[in-house]
Amino acid sequence: MSSAHYDVIIIGSGAGGGTLAYRLAPSGKRILLLERGDYVPREPDNWSTRAVNVEGKYQAREIWRDEAGKELHPHTNYWVGGNTKFYGAALFRLRREDFGELRHPGGVSPAWPISYEDLEPYYTEAEHLYQVHGERGEDPTEPPASAGYRYPAVSHEPRIQQLSDDFARLGCKPFHTPLGIMLDERRPRTSRCIRCGTCDGHPCLVNAKSDAQVVCVDPALAYPNVTLLTDAHVSRLETSSSGREVTRVLVDRAGTREVYSADIVVVSCGAINSAALLLRSANDRHPRGLANGSDVVGRHYMGHVNSVLMALSRCPNPTVFQKTLALNDFYFGSPEWRFPMGHISFVGKLDGVTLSAGAPAIAPGWTLDLMGRHSLDFWLTSEDLPDPGNRVTLNRQGEIVLSYTPNNGEGHKRLIAKLENLMQRQSRCTLHGSECHQGLFSRNLFIGQRIPLAGVAHQNGTIRFGHDPATSALDEHCRAHEVDNLYVVDASFFPSSGAVNPALTIMANALRVGDRILERLGVSGRREATGTEVVTLGVGASA
Ligand SMILES: Cc1cc2nc3c(=O)[nH]c(=O)nc-3n(C[C@H](O)[C@H](O)[C@H](O)COP(=O)(O)OP(=O)(O)OC[C@H]3O[C@@H](n4cnc5c(N)ncnc54)[C@H](O)[C@@H]3O)c2cc1C
Ligand code: SF4
């Protein structure tokens, strides 16, 4: 059994924890990063759709349960860098309005305890850190920004450009998806990113995706005061007898129990595992779970209302990197429907192999391979609302139980109808005109149009922040109301989820909370990280 004391312990190395480690590293404070996973092995299978999408080679092997006790095999990833190793790197800011209260037909999306302006400088910093490539001014719902993107938008390939032109002709404002990939289109010979077809959902074999390991954890580890322990599963947090401080962090590592302590403990295991850790850490002072006097820990689980929809065309879609186009025209509604609908963008190009894992409804006269070669593969996101009954709990065996009743579906249905309508009105195809479009098909026949419960990619909301300790577990700085030295910096803190991808907000918030922690540690003036990777990140950049 080993034991040591640190200034800060960070549990989890994903978008939240990895970014926080980067922020704290130059302080000289002793920082311990505990990660249950290892480094993703670099191997050809990183880019194999069979290994990744059919065999689930890198997916967590854990079993969770749904409300009825049925097995769930969560589509989540335990590795250094967390789920950002596999993400599609579409890095969006929430809209300014998402920080206020928004009315939906299904209920209210509550306001955040901070405003968009509070987070704005950190969004800018996170965009620069994660090398986001984008174009300001195109997205009609984009919030105001204090700086432009440092890297130009990733260009559309011809089929996507044609679609973008069609959408624009139909009165929409299609825009370039902001992307964290290290692509230098002007210098392809030296560009770190080679614009391959296996980015979304796959780890990047050449480390050119701006994930938390490449961009934050590795540079942080260049500092002698930062230590990373992999395969280090934190099973429980223990407190002093008053219950006001976490005093021991219990770690299961290579079959042995290790115990660490720190002045400040930061939980960033992802929204489901962070809630589970706090619930598992119940004690006499915290009988409902650590920092859970409000009984909100684990509740208000959100994951967005998401669909993958394939638009089949008579013409093939030879696009390699498809995720460059997005549409927010219906984000807040339309003239006939004054409620939010959500966001339209793309997943990575689907192929026959990937489709074989989901068994989509096969269009008459088509094979999976043919569908893969002809489809435009859309990703639609709408907001689900924070329902206290949608929650993470633990069963008697200590397994994670995820209870979720879908809500707020009407806006999503209308968003799908909007897309179908736009696709039917396409005309830029010189061969088939609007006849080119053959219909929208859900990627998976058995789940209808929605991503199933095990699809927890956008998990958030389970340890919400707020001003009132009766209705939130964390204060506005993401510190636990009831435990002085406990912070949470992953997606758990969201009181509502908006309808764009969550990672940039998690990263920006980690930088913000990092500044509060530095102040608390008495570190005056923030020092920029200068680890070797940070310096070399400019290579392959196109600014
Ligand atoms: C396929 C896929 C595509 C996605 N695409 C996008 C996208 O394009 N844009 C976007 O914004 N978002 C995307 N996301 C979502 C994004 O990856 C997540 O929102 C983000 O990574 C969440 O950050 P986090 O810090 O909350 O958790 P994570 O990044 O999941 O990090 C949590 C870390 O904690 C570790 N951990 C868990 N429990 C413990 C424990 N008990 N002890 C020690 N360590 C622990 C985990 O191993 C993990 O490394 C995608 C996700 C997936 C899966
Ligand atoms: S090379 Fe570029 S497109 Fe391919 S996985 Fe890496 S970052 Fe993504």
Side-chain angles (χ1 to χ4, degrees), residues 11-18 34-37 75-92 179 200-202 212 232-235 268-271 273-274 277 280 323 456-459 489-492 500-504 506:
I11 307 166
S13 64
L34 295 168
E35 168 54 56
R36 75 187 288 173
H75 299 178
T76 194
N77 304 281
Y78 297 149
W79 300 96
V80 176
N83 279 296
T84 67
K85 288 303 294 177
F86 296 83
Y87 74 170
L91 292 175
F92 283 96
L179 288 165
D200 196 8
H202 298 248
H233 177 254
V234 176
S235 53
S268 44
C269 304
N273 273 294
S274 286
L277 177 60
R280 211 172 274 134
K323 217 174 150 130
V456 292
H458 287 192
Q459 57 180 280
V489 298
D490 54 26
S492 313
V500 286
N501 314 48
L504 190 74
I506 302 167

Side-chain angles (χ1 to χ4, degrees), residues 15-17 20 266-268 478 487-491 493 506 509-510 513 517:
L20 179 68
V266 186
V267 172
S268 44
C478 290
Y487 291 77
V488 179
V489 298
D490 54 26
F493 77 100
I506 302 167
N509 184 61
V513 174
I517 292 176

